[in-house]
Amino acid sequence: MLRAGRALSRRLTSNLQGFHVVNQFEVDDLKLKVTERLHQESEAKWTHIDKQGETEKVFNICFRTVPFTDNGVAHILEHLVLCGSKNFPVRDPFFKMINRSLNSFMNAMTGTDYTMYPFQTSNEQDFQNLLAVYLDAVFQPQLRYIDFNQEAWRLGEGDDGSDDPEKLILKGVVFNEMKGAMADRDQLFFRRFIAAMCPSGTYQYNSGGEPMSIPSLTYEELKKFHADHYSPANAHIITFGDVVLEDTAAHMNKTLTSVPKGAPAKEILKESSFPSARETTWYGPWNESANDVTKQSTAAVGFGICDRNDTWMNFIGQILGSLLSDGPSSPLYKELIESGLGSEYSPGTGFWMYLKDSIFAAGLQDVAEADLDAVHELVFSGLRRAQQEGFPQDRIDAILHQIELSTRHQTPKFGLNLTFGVHPGLLHGADMKDSLETLSYVKRLKEELAKNPSYLIDFIEPLFFKNQHVNKVKMIAQKEYEDIQTKMEEDLTEEKVSKLSKKEKLELLDLEMELEEEQLATPNVDCLPTLSVSDIPQEKTSFVPSQTGENTHWLQTSGSGMTYLRGMVELDGLSQREIELLPLYESVLTRIGRGEYDYRQIGIAQNLISGGFSVKTGILTDRDNVDIARPTLDFYTYGLDEKLDEIIPIFKTLLDANGPDFNPERIKTVLNEAYSNANGGIVGVGHQYSMQYSHSNVTAYGKLNETLSGLTAIKTMKKAVEENDFDSLSNELKQLHAKICSKHLKTLVHSDSDKTSKLDSLFDASRSGKAALVPEAATFESLSKSTWNLGFPINFVSRAISTVHDSHPDVASLRVLSAMMGSKYLLREIREFGGAYGAGANHTGGAFRFFSYRDPSGLRTLAKYSDAVEWVEKQQWTERDVNEAILKVFQGVDAPIAHSSRGVGIWKNYLSVDDIAKRRHELLSVTGSDLLRVNEKYLVNPKIRSDTIIGPQEALLRQEADNPMQSQTQAWQQLRL
């Protein structure tokens, strides 16, 4: 058996199941061995990347997909190929395999010019199982018409469940997904910006699909797109890690030789340079929650830089992009952010290189419409400033140090992320070796700078001032934008319905019924490969840090030459106001001056010696008491062993009472950026915010978590920005910091040898000892119902129900129950039939939580949550479903973690090895009768329940008023930021 990393050199030149070696090389800096092969019969490309000692196994197959339409054909095809295939003719085998596997990552994704299908696992049998399903899915999908209706679009019954043929509405998973995506102003801007920079080819189109164009896609067009693009000759496969190469090659050879060879997809040509600079304007969403509703527009300038194949120029572009725009010491930050015209950079600011043409962009968002032209001028003045002032050597050194450090600091998903990084370049013909040997470019740049200190500065004139491929773009916020989109959807629906006869309308309802019947049918999944609970190890090694001092702990790593330093301050005795200030404190602490450094210098000083410094709020709970939750501050940094003596003094400035400079003007700038970023990011993770708010009304942990990182925290930030009293806020933060500096601190070091003795200077004698956890005297209503109207055209619906503390033996059964409900009921009812992009359940922090993501429904989804509980009661599931749910839970329990993160949970939460072993045994021992019992005990008649809907509020309230059978006596609490 040929396994990667074992006797590799002996077999490199052999024919492996029809795959012939065309190139092989090593990347010493990353400790990689790379073998590039070509499948002789089908011309499929296969690259394997081996890394000594790697236990993870990664597969990623990528196709160049080149749509010339906005109807989302590439994106919809990505969904449909996962809905059943020749050898696995099961409805949605992708979602079913998620629960029959121990994968740590499974997904599929559509880019601007590619579609990829990656997975990662550490189990060899699991790898081969998923490989078989993935290969069959992409090359031999069923592409059924009924699945097209579910995933793409259809005309079907309304959200009220009415089967009135005169009340048909547009539905579909991707249709609703893209309605949500295009409601995100950042995504909208970025997609329109790409089209403005590359207007002549495939990039002018939205590969994800414009919502109002998706209903123009035909089933026949989709099938043709698959035939044209999903062929072996258009495929590039990358595997990584501890893979059995013969078995993998045999699987691939069998599939590749059973389908037509096909041909590479149409090559994407470099965009012709504009004859002169252009200006492009479009409209975007209006946000009533904006800090200043008169400042909601965005302006940017884009520059075409170079071909994606030019790896040296792309490296230079990355360095220039960082020098020009990263951090408060950069010239564009000084010109743009500190101008006060906007709150933060426009989406995509910086250098990016995943298109055929690499691009640099810079601009501002949250700008008044009258100031958009001024932003364009500031971009050029910032570039001229850089040219005139040059780049300080310490900034160049800091950026190069970060690149060098990244080769030593590697995460558990290193291989997976590596495939994400190299695939787009490979599809455009970039050289694999050049793409990986970044440190050789660092060395070359240092040599160039030694010969010519102005080497980087000399690029500014040709790339930015003599470059004609420039576009000055504007996105103007339009108050009527959402109404216009709604009217367009209504008109499109009316247009399509008006062309239908009564018979055709009834046929559509019949199709809807057929779809529902299929979704309700129990599938025969015997054809799908699976792991079993017996494949889960009964025991797993726990890594316990050694206590080396009263408050210092250490865990040994092996040969990394890196030191990872963590600190945790337990924040007992804070007032409610001080707790509310913590998100603001967290946002500013690492971005203001500290010690001898001002706010411009501190980032450079940190990046010269470390991987950066982070401060985040956390929560410490009592595993035996659900009413106990205490905030913490978690500090983290890392660097080379030899830099530790320089790291510690800067780390100390975070912990000293007189360390930070809470300058009011700097706080104002940072909080404006932070609020804009947080507010703009809600729509991307709305299900998380919805769950957090529901959770806040049922447990002490949920209440604290909402205050620290939920919509309530964003609302607190908005209030501070609106009040504009930063002198008072500065004083409050100073007082809070002084209090934090008196609280109990403990540290954890990961390194090759014990270095905790170097940390003595961090521990001030004035710090208090560890304080006992005290229950919070919080009371919660038995039922709360809340809606947040944030201007989104789509819903995020959640429910939280109070349960038990974390050490309770029922927690294991509740976790497995949530996994089974999510995969076996909620996905079917809310995603497949309801048209939401996602749905599920989980258990955490003493609460059982339901959620939906980008959901066209509101109240109807809440009813489905109740139906899910009833579904469990009726035992409409099998013991196999229970076992699959246990597998799903263990994907998280046994997810790979970096050596530098081992033991962190034990250290932070005061856990013992026995605690972890006990929970593992409880999870492995869960039975169907346990699920029935906890469902009845906690969910059938919950003591405390909270529902939250983030979405179109007025429609929701009308819906409840029109459906008294669904209405409850308690009114909805209506909230806004």
Side-chain angles (χ1 to χ4, degrees):
M1 177 183 292
L2 175 61
R3 182 182 289 274
R6 302 178 188 180
L8 188 61
S9 60
R10 291 186 291 105
R11 299 288 301 275
L12 280 177
T13 58
S14 65
N15 177 347
L16 192 61
Q17 296 287 338
F19 287 93
H20 290 261
V21 173
V22 294
N23 191 23
Q24 54 186 301
F25 59 90
E26 296 188 6
V27 183
D28 295 335
D29 301 321
L30 297 174
K31 298 182 174 61
L32 303 178
K33 295 180 179 179
V34 181
T35 306
E36 297 178 284
R37 289 182 167 92
L38 181 70
H39 190 251
Q40 208 163 28
E41 183 173 337
S42 71
E43 296 187 10
K45 300 180 182 69
W46 174 27
T47 300
H48 179 72
I49 305 173
D50 185 38
K51 184 175 174 63
Q52 193 68 36
E54 181 63 58
T55 59
E56 292 301 301
K57 311 166 201 300
V58 175
F59 170 88
N60 191 346
I61 183 168
C62 189
F63 302 92
R64 183 191 299 148
T65 46
V66 191
F68 285 90
T69 170
D70 280 321
N71 64 16
V73 60
H75 183 191
I76 291 165
L77 180 59
E78 172 223 309
H79 281 239
L80 247 71
V81 300
L82 301 174
C83 288
S85 60
K86 178 181 178 181
N87 294 319
F88 306 105
V90 179
R91 183 173 185 79
D92 285 338
F94 176 80
F95 284 106
K96 291 177 174 60
M97 285 303 297
I98 289 176
N99 306 299
R100 301 165 72 87
S101 162
L102 287 172
N103 73 85
S104 53
F105 186 90
M106 273 181 70
N107 211 335
M109 51 203 71
T110 303
T112 51
D113 52 14
Y114 64 85
T115 307
M116 63 172 61
Y117 298 83
F119 67 79
Q120 174 175 317
T121 181
S122 59
N123 182 291
E124 179 61 33
Q125 184 58 55
D126 198 23
F127 181 89
Q128 297 299 331
N129 290 350
L130 292 171
L131 178 67
V133 173
Y134 265 59
L135 288 173
D136 202 52
V138 296
F139 289 117
Q140 301 183 107
Q142 290 181 305
L143 299 182
R144 301 185 309 159
Y145 181 64
I146 193 168
D147 294 323
F148 174 83
N149 279 269
Q150 173 186 290
E151 298 295 323
W153 71 277
R154 67 186 185 276
L155 286 167
E157 65 181 30
D159 188 39
D160 60 0
S162 167
D163 59 359
D164 186 341
E166 302 305 320
K167 293 183 178 180
L168 298 174
I169 64 169
L170 281 169
K171 306 170 77 170
V173 172
V174 174
F175 176 73
N176 286 317
E177 177 191 352
M178 294 311 297
K179 279 177 65 177
M182 291 298 95
D184 182 336
R185 65 168 184 172
D186 290 356
Q187 284 205 45
L188 178 67
F189 179 86
F190 198 59
R191 289 178 184 273
R192 298 290 185 268
F193 179 76
I194 289 173
M197 291 301 298
C198 306
S200 66
T202 186
Y203 299 130
Q204 69 183 292
Y205 301 104
N206 184 343
S207 61
E210 290 292 326
M212 296 308 110
S213 297
I214 287 173
S216 69
L217 176 65
T218 66
Y219 177 52
E220 290 71 23
E221 185 180 353
L222 179 123
K223 290 190 292 183
K224 185 177 187 305
F225 194 86
H226 178 269
D228 291 343
H229 293 83
Y230 281 52
S231 64
N234 192 43
H236 196 138
I237 299 163
I238 299 181
T239 55
F240 171 90
D242 187 28
V243 175
V244 178
L245 298 180
E246 283 113 331
D247 292 352
T248 302
H251 264 304
M252 294 194 296
N253 179 62
K254 182 179 179 181
T255 302
L256 294 171
T257 54
S258 64
V259 297
K261 168 184 169 180
K266 184 176 181 179
E267 183 179 351
I268 299 172
L269 301 177
K270 181 172 172 55
E271 185 75 28
S272 298
S273 181
F274 299 157
S276 60
R278 294 186 178 183
E279 296 185 6
T280 307
T281 301
W282 61 87
Y283 291 103
W286 183 269
N287 184 1
E288 288 292 345
S289 300
N291 171 40
D292 182 346
V293 293
T294 67
K295 299 176 69 174
Q296 297 198 57
S297 296
T298 303
V301 183
F303 303 84
I305 300 299
C306 63
D307 192 296
R308 180 63 182 83
N309 293 350
D310 190 336
T311 50
W312 173 246
M313 272 308 302
N314 277 280
F315 175 77
I316 293 297
Q318 291 178 78
I319 302 299
L320 278 174
S322 294
L323 288 168
L324 289 168
S325 61
D326 286 359
S329 59
S330 67
L332 286 173
Y333 188 98
K334 294 173 184 176
E335 291 290 322
L336 291 168
I337 301 295
E338 295 184 354
S339 71
L341 294 183
S343 63
E344 66 171 336
Y345 283 136
S346 56
T349 289
F351 181 82
W352 30 286
M353 54 179 197
Y354 62 84
L355 307 179
K356 175 61 176 173
D357 300 272
S358 297
I359 290 169
F360 177 81
L364 276 178
Q365 62 183 19
D366 300 327
V367 179
E369 184 177 348
D371 292 329
L372 294 175
D373 290 329
V375 172
H376 292 152
E377 294 172 6
L378 287 175
V379 171
F380 286 98
S381 63
L383 293 169
R384 189 64 76 187
R385 171 192 280 218
Q387 187 178 39
Q388 293 169 349
E389 296 179 358
F391 301 120
Q393 188 61 43
D394 60 354
R395 291 199 65 225
I396 298 174
D397 292 342
I399 291 169
L400 297 182
H401 179 253
Q402 293 302 300
I403 295 173
E404 292 168 326
L405 200 59
S406 68
T407 66
R408 305 279 285 274
H409 172 68
Q410 293 177 6
T411 69
K413 287 189 168 59
F414 168 77
L416 182 70
N417 292 330
L418 194 66
T419 70
F420 292 162
V422 300
H423 251 321
L426 295 180
L427 292 181
H428 293 299
D431 183 81
M432 182 78 161
K433 189 172 190 292
D434 289 345
S435 298
L436 292 172
E437 291 196 324
T438 306
L439 288 191
S440 67
Y441 287 152
V442 171
K443 180 182 178 182
R444 177 178 167 185
L445 178 58
K446 288 179 178 179
E447 293 170 350
E448 295 288 357
L449 288 169
K451 292 184 291 185
N452 175 16
S454 299
Y455 182 76
L456 289 170
I457 300 167
D458 291 345
F459 282 103
I460 293 178
E461 186 71 22
L463 292 182
F464 301 114
F465 292 106
K466 292 185 177 179
N467 185 352
Q468 292 182 310
H469 199 85
V470 176
N471 206 326
K472 302 175 184 178
V473 304
K474 302 174 184 177
M475 184 170 78
I476 299 172
Q478 185 180 36
K479 195 165 188 176
E480 305 81 14
Y481 182 84
E482 193 52 54
D483 291 337
I484 292 171
Q485 301 304 306
T486 301
K487 182 67 164 56
M488 287 172 61
E489 183 176 344
E490 291 173 350
D491 290 347
L492 179 60
T493 304
E494 183 179 347
E495 177 190 348
K496 286 190 168 294
V497 171
S498 67
K499 296 177 181 178
L500 300 173
S501 65
K502 181 69 175 291
K503 180 183 177 183
E504 289 171 324
K505 294 175 185 176
L506 292 173
E507 287 173 349
L508 287 174
L509 291 174
D510 289 341
L511 179 63
E512 189 94 340
M513 187 175 297
E514 180 185 346
L515 184 60
E516 183 175 6
E517 288 172 353
E518 178 160 322
Q519 289 159 349
L520 291 171
T522 301
N524 182 352
V525 295
D526 291 341
C527 64
L528 289 174
T530 185
L531 296 183
S532 66
V533 173
S534 63
D535 291 305
I536 302 172
Q538 291 290 313
E539 297 179 356
K540 187 179 180 183
T541 302
S542 292
F543 296 89
V544 183
S546 302
Q547 186 162 358
T548 59
E550 183 180 357
N551 299 306
T552 57
H553 301 77
W554 170 64
L555 192 63
Q556 187 173 22
T557 52
S558 53
S560 69
M562 302 274 287
T563 297
Y564 297 82
L565 172 59
R566 288 177 172 84
M568 184 178 80
V569 178
E570 297 184 32
L571 302 177
D572 60 288
L574 297 189
S575 68
Q576 182 59 34
R577 173 59 179 167
E578 288 169 332
I579 293 173
E580 291 170 357
L581 284 173
L582 285 173
L584 281 63
Y585 175 84
E586 170 193 345
S587 297
V588 306
L589 188 59
T590 58
R591 300 186 62 195
I592 56 179
R594 300 197 315 276
E596 63 185 272
Y597 304 101
D598 64 27
Y599 73 91
R600 296 193 197 279
Q601 298 167 334
I602 188 66
I604 300 172
Q606 291 174 167
N607 289 340
L608 280 166
I609 60 172
S610 73
F613 287 65
S614 72
V615 178
K616 295 185 180 298
T617 54
I619 299 177
L620 186 64
T621 60
D622 187 326
R623 298 184 71 247
D624 299 317
N625 191 332
V626 76
D627 295 322
I628 292 178
R630 171 184 293 172
T632 65
L633 271 179
D634 302 332
F635 301 84
Y636 173 66
T637 188
Y638 65 92
L640 299 173
D641 288 345
E642 58 266 28
K643 297 287 187 179
L644 184 59
D645 288 337
E646 298 175 70
I647 290 172
I648 290 173
I650 294 185
F651 194 87
K652 191 174 187 298
T653 62
L654 293 167
L655 304 168
D656 284 351
N658 297 319
D661 174 17
F662 291 99
N663 178 279
E665 283 302 310
R666 180 58 182 161
I667 292 172
K668 178 180 180 178
T669 299
V670 172
L671 287 186
N672 269 287
E673 283 186 77
Y675 173 70
S676 177
N677 184 59
N679 187 22
I682 294 172
V683 69
V685 288
H687 62 306
Q688 295 179 17
Y689 282 108
S690 183
M691 276 193 291
Q692 275 186 259
Y693 194 76
S694 288
H695 199 165
S696 72
N697 294 310
V698 302
T699 71
Y701 168 88
K703 180 181 177 183
L704 179 57
N705 193 38
E706 171 65 20
T707 303
L708 297 178
S709 60
L711 293 173
T712 300
I714 298 176
K715 195 169 184 176
T716 300
M717 195 175 293
K718 180 186 181 185
K719 184 179 179 183
V721 171
E722 287 178 339
E723 288 178 345
N724 200 30
D725 185 2
F726 291 99
D727 289 327
S728 297
L729 181 60
S730 171
N731 288 329
E732 284 190 288
L733 292 177
K734 286 178 188 176
Q735 293 170 21
L736 174 61
H737 180 71
K739 197 167 185 177
I740 289 170
C741 290
S742 70
K743 299 298 182 182
H744 176 64
L745 167 70
K746 66 175 184 176
T747 60
L748 172 63
V749 173
H750 288 80
S751 56
D752 297 339
S753 60
D754 182 9
K755 301 183 185 300
T756 55
S757 61
K758 293 177 177 286
L759 306 183
D760 292 344
S761 64
L762 300 181
F763 296 95
D764 193 299
S766 64
R767 284 191 178 273
S768 62
K770 176 173 167 43
L773 290 166
V774 179
E776 181 178 336
T779 58
F780 301 99
E781 296 181 7
S782 60
L783 175 64
S784 60
K785 305 191 311 184
S786 308
T787 67
W788 288 81
N789 187 354
L790 305 180
F792 308 148
I794 211 79
N795 296 295
F796 303 93
V797 186
S798 69
R799 171 172 292 168
I801 295 171
S802 64
T803 55
V804 287
H805 55 79
D806 193 51
S807 67
H808 195 289
D810 284 349
V811 166
S813 299
L814 287 164
R815 288 177 67 181
V816 174
L817 177 61
S818 70
M820 188 177 77
M821 266 192 191
S823 61
K824 301 300 178 180
Y825 186 83
L826 297 173
L827 270 175
R828 181 188 73 202
E829 293 291 322
I830 297 172
R831 183 189 184 277
E832 294 179 10
F833 187 68
Y837 184 56
N842 58 43
H843 184 274
T844 189
F848 194 98
R849 311 190 308 182
F850 301 85
F851 69 90
S852 71
Y853 181 68
R854 292 182 179 168
D855 188 348
S857 301
L859 293 174
R860 192 173 183 183
T861 294
L862 289 173
K864 292 295 184 184
Y865 297 156
S866 299
D867 293 344
V869 175
E870 185 177 339
W871 171 80
V872 176
E873 276 191 292
K874 291 180 177 178
Q875 300 186 54
Q876 296 174 328
W877 41 272
T878 66
E879 280 300 320
R880 180 169 61 188
D881 295 334
V882 179
N883 291 333
E884 289 183 5
I886 293 173
L887 283 170
K888 181 73 169 67
V889 169
F890 270 90
Q891 291 171 13
V893 172
D894 287 350
I897 60 172
H899 289 201
S900 58
S901 296
R902 288 174 172 173
V904 172
I906 288 176
W907 166 77
K908 178 174 180 178
N909 298 302
Y910 299 95
L911 298 175
S912 69
V913 172
D914 288 343
D915 292 331
I916 295 172
K918 178 173 176 287
R919 177 49 44 83
R920 187 178 191 87
H921 173 72
E922 289 170 346
L923 285 168
L924 287 169
S925 303
V926 170
T927 65
S929 61
D930 291 326
L931 303 190
L932 280 171
R933 179 178 53 79
V934 296
N935 186 68
E936 173 68 27
K937 184 175 180 180
Y938 300 105
L939 305 185
V940 172
N941 292 300
K943 295 178 181 178
I944 303 174
R945 191 191 96 195
S946 175
D947 295 342
T948 300
I949 300 179
I950 299 175
Q953 182 170 272
E954 291 79 6
L956 164 73
L957 298 177
R958 285 198 306 271
Q959 183 182 349
E960 182 167 274
D962 293 342
N963 292 272
M965 294 298 293
Q966 295 182 20
S967 180
Q968 300 177 55
T969 56
Q970 182 173 340
W972 287 88
Q973 182 185 21
Q974 302 176 50
L975 302 167
R976 293 178 182 269
L977 283 180

